[in-house]
Amino acid sequence: MARVLVLHGPNLNLLGDREEEIYGRATLADINRELARQGEAAGVDLEFYQSNHEGDLIDRIHAAKGRVDVIIINPGAFTHYSFALQDALRAVRLPVIEVHLSNIYAREPWRRQSLIAPVARGQIAGFGPFSYTLALQAACRLLGQG
Ligand code: DQA
């Protein structure tokens, strides 16, 4: 069965309680539960991982090589300054889908730059938790399963 790794970066563990006017009321567990349901229906195996630490995310990306078919990642604020995450994603040569709950282009100017976009197949931003649903749909399409 095809495998998709869903990575959540820093502060996303606080979803539901964090700047609700921007990120909404859904918790990370809610988002993962909905994705798991969607994955099951599509016949795709999902793995979830959240970390507030750049190095942990990088280790997880390295470990995905050869085991995972697509990476869906919301890198949180690392999006905007982590060359190390960019390098790690490039190094493993797996298809990457970048996700954001908020529309990063409609917020502070410093959020308009993504260091992940150059190594991603595509980016989905601005649809709240539905951004993840769209990302998994895109992953299924890449896998020829949707
Ligand atoms: C975010 C957008 C980032 O700018 C921010 O730092 C986050 C969340 C989003 O999902 O909208 O932590 O990635």
Side-chain angles (χ1 to χ4, degrees), residues 58-112:
I58 290 169
D59 287 344
R60 196 64 190 228
I61 290 166
H62 291 175
K65 196 175 158 83
R67 296 183 40 250
V68 160
D69 302 294
V70 178
I71 297 177
I72 292 174
I73 183 167
N74 181 346
F78 289 146
T79 305
H80 314 297
Y81 65 92
S82 178
F83 288 103
L85 268 184
Q86 184 194 93
D87 279 352
L89 290 167
R90 183 185 286 113
V92 295
R93 293 192 294 267
L94 289 169
V96 173
I97 302 172
E98 178 184 351
V99 175
H100 300 284
L101 295 151
S102 64
N103 177 357
I104 56 173
Y105 302 98
R107 301 180 61 193
E108 302 94 322
W110 58 268
R111 290 189 205 270
R112 287 181 203 148

